[in-house]
Every structure is written in structure tokens, then in C-alpha cells.
Amino acid sequence: MDLLRHLRYFVAVAEELHFGRAADRLHIAQSPLSQRIRALERELGADLFVRTTRQVRLTPVGGVLLVEARAVLDRVGQLDAAIEAARDTASATVRVGVSTDLPAATLASLVGVLADGAGDVRVDPVELAGPGQARELRDRHVDVGLVRWPAPAGLRHAAPIERPVGALIAQDDPLASAEEIELHELGALRPVVLPPWAAEPRTHDRTLRTCHALGYAPREVLTAEGPDFAAGLVLTRGAVALLDAPARTPAGTAWRPIAGGPLTTVAVVAWHAEERRPAVERVAGALHDALLASGSWTAGRPPSGTAPRPPRPADAF
Amino acid sequence: MDTADRIRKAFDAHGVRGSLHAIDLDARAEVAVGADRPMPLASVFKVALATAVWRAADRGELDLTERVEVGPRSGGPTGLGAMLDPAAVSVRDLGYLALALSDNGAADLLVDRLGLAAVQDVHDALGMRTTAARHACRDFSRTILEDTGTEDAAAAAAVLVADEERFRELRVRDAGQTNGGSARDQTRLLRALWQDEAAAPASCAAVRRLMGLQVWPHRIASGFADDAVLVAGKTGTLPGVRNEVGVVEGPGGLRVAIAVFLLAPTPAASMPHLDALIGTTARTAYDDLARRAADDGR
């Protein structure tokens, strides 16, 4: 028998001393209620109520059971509350993806910020290979991450932030002696290293368009997903990699801003669109603020000014 | 790794959502990757449109040699769509322009003549259950301008580059809101055309000829650099949509109907690597069916 349910029914009848009113309170019909009470009496081997045509009274055994039943039900209520509290704490552990775009050190500044706020939110860093976090966010392997703009469908995100794209060149390259790189000085023979088109089609296209517009028309386009492989291509192929400042400049290379800052990397702190835990949005907000406070990112806006030239002068698609 | 896995991997490596269906026209063998998923067809629907034209002629409802006055018409990058002055062209030559050059102006004159219901009749008659004709070519352009809030193609292209959300929600990229259908339905249509079942035999031959006259070599045909291989096809191209359906006839007599549909992650106008991807995946599927035909002693 479901003892808890029978005890709840018993307490209702004992408090109302009326089967009809107790049934109303429990939102059930009177007849199943009577059957449950009889089943409980059989189970315990004692009558709990004296039923007359005019009234219902508790027997002495019923009186004892009422005290004990209330105590049991109270404890069960506390059980639910304890589980609820435990669940809240668990959900306040927010997994944040750490990648080449988002170094773990940045997360350290989050810990203090979150400890000052309301509630008990714990940040759990998750190491990710490569710069991309979109897939991990979509598959919910991490709760909060930094993704390149535009954020893929299925994610919600904070306002865009940006930082300049610069040129990674060999340390002993004559161009490295200047503080800034002019794109037209790179020369068409120097291969360019970009993120693979399949990984970041818009960044890839936009960067190439801008290079062409500013007088650098590379004959060869190489691709690298992260700064370390890009550095390898720079050193072995005499290439230039166009990327934002790496957290740590790879050995033998130098990173220089591009004159006039024509290219930026735009990113957003993102989380899953179906996320319901307030802690996740709080961590995302704190991360957005921490990235701006770190000085390496500024408030940005989606890149727009680099519309392509229509390939054909057609008036329709 | 089997053929379908290799094709799936190639789609993933290029960052596209792809589907492919290939069948041996003289056997039951097939290669299928997402082949039942409805995809936006873009100009691929012109194959069913041409089939509808020749079926109407079969029924005596249309004279293929009747001259159509070409006045104001739908725009577009090729053929009558791009030409400026009045002309008079026969119904069947409109069919030529619509299939061989993907001429939107010519195609819409045919749609105006027949109605989209006649195109849907072809889908229904041939059991193309996932395929729907909802748009004429002018509706492709109209919905793109509406969806981007712009008034001309260049402004729309600029909005699509800048605004990912609008690009993603273009109706022409949603199989449920534009002319949409599965790759499997398209090979069904090609089989019917190549087996003289889509219309009268002479009419099927006429549509096959027009597909064989297609001028674009950059998609399916790019996978078959061999003069002994004939490719008859029809492309479909819109922002973020790269398609082709066609029949490849090999030197040994093998005939393979192939449909490849790609949803590209950007609205870029020039994506030669995706054109080539259609060629290489079509080739992968063709080679697999060729091996199986050889195993069967054909």
C-alpha cells in the first residue's frame, strides 16, 4: 500500500471529521476516500473512526495515529525542500568553455564577482580544443561560452564585443620592426593564413574582401584553426596570419596591429536558447563584463560596412 | 567507411547541410544521404515546369510552336530575364531558355501560361510526395526583398551579408515556404523522364535534350572530367542555396540520376568550392553505383 497517500487521506478526514468535506479538500470522490480509510484500518488492524449516521469521530487509536501521521508527513515535506535546495545548488554550477579565445585566467576574475552577488554560483571551467565553442554550447557540454559572431541558431547571447585583428609574422621579418602593418605592404606573393571557410565562412570571406580592398591580393590562401598552427605556417611558408592577438604569442613570431584597424573579430558570450537556470544568464553577464574589463575586448557591433560588390549587375536573383 | 558516410563527411567538412540521392536508372541500386528531407529547390523546379509544358502539349492544350510576346517580364541574371527589349519566342524555346540558361523571365512566362497548379500536377502524377510548387521565379526575388526589407538585389545582398538572422530566415531557404522537395523526389522525376514515363516519349526526349544543353559546367559536370561522360542537368542557385539535379551517362552505358542539394552557411555569391563539392559528391555516388553495376556483370 502507498502508506504516505493513505496517511494524507486519514489526516484530512481526521481534521474535517466529515468524509464529504475531506473528499472535497483532497479533490477526489467520497467513495474512493472511504475505501482508502477502510484499507488503512485493515492494514493497521484497528478502527480509526467511529462512524454514525450523524457524525464521524476519531477512536483513541485514531487520535494517536493523527499525531504520528502529522509528524511523518512533516518530515516528508522537509525531504522535498531539502531535495529542492540540493537541486538549486547543483544547477548553480555553471560550466564555462575555455579555449584559445577565452583563456582560463579570464574566468578567475569571475569568481570574485559571482561570490559578491546573491546566491551560490560556482564556475566550472571546461577545456575545449580549438577556438570554437558553438558546437559544445549547442550540445550542452558547456553552459556558457564565447562564440564568434554571428552566433549560430539555437543560442542566445549578450551584446557583441570586438577586438582588432592583427598580423602574425615572423619575428625576424623586416615588417616586424614597424609598430603597425599596412596591408598593401604585404605583397601578393606572401600567402595569407585565415580560419577555414567551413569553420568561419563569414570571417574568412570578410577578411579576404578587406585585404583585396586595401591592396593586398594574396595569391595563396592557407587555413589554420588556432594560433599555434597559424604560427607554423607563418614560419615555414613565409605567410602572414590575420588573427586577433593570441593570449600568448607563439615562439619566433610577432603580432602587430593593422594600420587603421580595418578588421575586427566580433564575438558574443552565448548560452543555449532553452536554458532556464537564472545562474547561467548571470554567469554570462559577468563573463561579458569581465571580458570588457580585461581591456582586450571593447563593446562592438556586427561588422557591416564591407558589403560585397554584386557579382553580376542583375536586378533579381 | 561506406559511400554515404564519405559523402556525409564531405558535407560536414564544408560546413553545409547537404542531401544527395543517386540511382542507377537501369537497376534498383541507390546512394542516399538525407535523401528524404525536403530542401529548397530554387531553379531546380524548372525541370518539373518544363515537364508540365510538354504534358500540356501532349494533351493538345498548348501549341509548342506558338509565339509568345515577351514584354515586361521577371528579371534575372540570364536570358530574357536580363534582356531589355520586346521579343517573340516560341513556347518550346522559352523552355530551352528556362532549362539551358536558367532564364527566370522565360520560366515565369511559362508559369503564367500554365499556372503553378500544372507544375504541382506533375509532382502528384509522378508520386513526388514531398515536393511542392509554391513560387514562380519572381516570387524568389519578391520574398528576398521582403525578407530583407530592401528594394533592389544589391541592397538585399548587403543586408544578407550583415544580418545573419535575416539570412537564416529567408523564405527561399525554407523548403516549407518555397518550392521545396526531397532529393529522392527529383531522381524519381529524372527516372520518369529518362524512361519515357513523365510524358509522351517524344516530349520526354525534348526535356532531356534541353537538360543536355545546359550551359553550366561547374557543379555535377565538374566531377566528371571526361568527354566520354555526358551530363544533362539543371542547377538551382539562390542566396545560401546550391543545387543540381541531373543524369550522368557513362561510357559503358551506365545511366545514373543524381540530385544534390546544399544549404550554404553564408549568402556569398561566389562559392566555387561548394560548386565543386556538388561535383565530387556526385562523382563519389556515381563511382559507387558503377562498381555495383560491374559486380552485377553489367
Side-chain angles (χ1 to χ4, degrees), chain A residues 149 151 197-198 201-202 311 316-317, chain B residues 13 104 141 160-162 164 168 266 273:
Chain A
W149 187 92
W197 189 87
R202 285 180 179 244
F317 289 88
Chain B
N104 290 343
S141 285
L160 292 176
V161 167
E164 174 76 5
R168 252 185 236 141
T266 83
H273 49 310

Side-chain angles (χ1 to χ4, degrees), chain A residues 23-81:
Chain A
D24 284 348
R25 184 168 132 189
L26 295 164
H27 303 293
I28 59 172
Q30 190 173 333
S31 129
L33 176 60
S34 301
Q35 287 166 22
R36 297 288 167 126
I37 298 299
R38 276 187 221 292
L40 184 61
E41 288 174 327
R42 272 199 305 278
E43 177 83 9
L44 299 173
D47 285 342
L48 300 171
F49 294 102
V50 180
R51 300 163 179 83
T52 69
T53 48
R54 300 236 306 280
Q55 59 173 338
V56 176
R57 276 187 293 116
L58 274 171
T59 63
V61 175
V64 171
L65 181 63
L66 180 58
V67 174
E68 295 302 325
R70 279 178 174 151
V72 168
L73 294 176
D74 277 352
R75 287 304 305 275
V76 171
Q78 289 164 20
L79 190 70
D80 286 346

Side-chain angles (χ1 to χ4, degrees), chain B residues 253-278:
Chain B
L254 181 71
R255 305 185 304 166
V256 172
I258 304 177
V260 188
F261 295 150
L262 305 182
L263 275 175
T266 83
S270 170
M271 292 188 281
H273 49 310
L274 297 192
D275 299 327
L277 177 66
I278 292 176

Side-chain angles (χ1 to χ4, degrees), chain B residues 92-118:
Chain B
R92 62 185 178 186
D93 284 349
L94 289 175
Y96 159 75
L97 291 169
L99 287 197
L101 302 186
S102 205
D103 181 338
N104 290 343
D108 280 356
L109 288 169
L110 295 172
V111 171
D112 292 344
R113 195 62 181 246
L114 291 174
L116 281 173

Side-chain angles (χ1 to χ4, degrees), chain A residues 22 26 29 32-33 48 83-85 89 109 123 137 144-145 153-154 170 185 189 191 212 267 278 284 307:
Chain A
L26 295 164
L33 176 60
L48 300 171
I83 288 170
E84 194 70 24
T89 309
S109 63
V123 171
L137 283 165
V144 173
E185 287 173 356
L189 292 180
H212 279 262

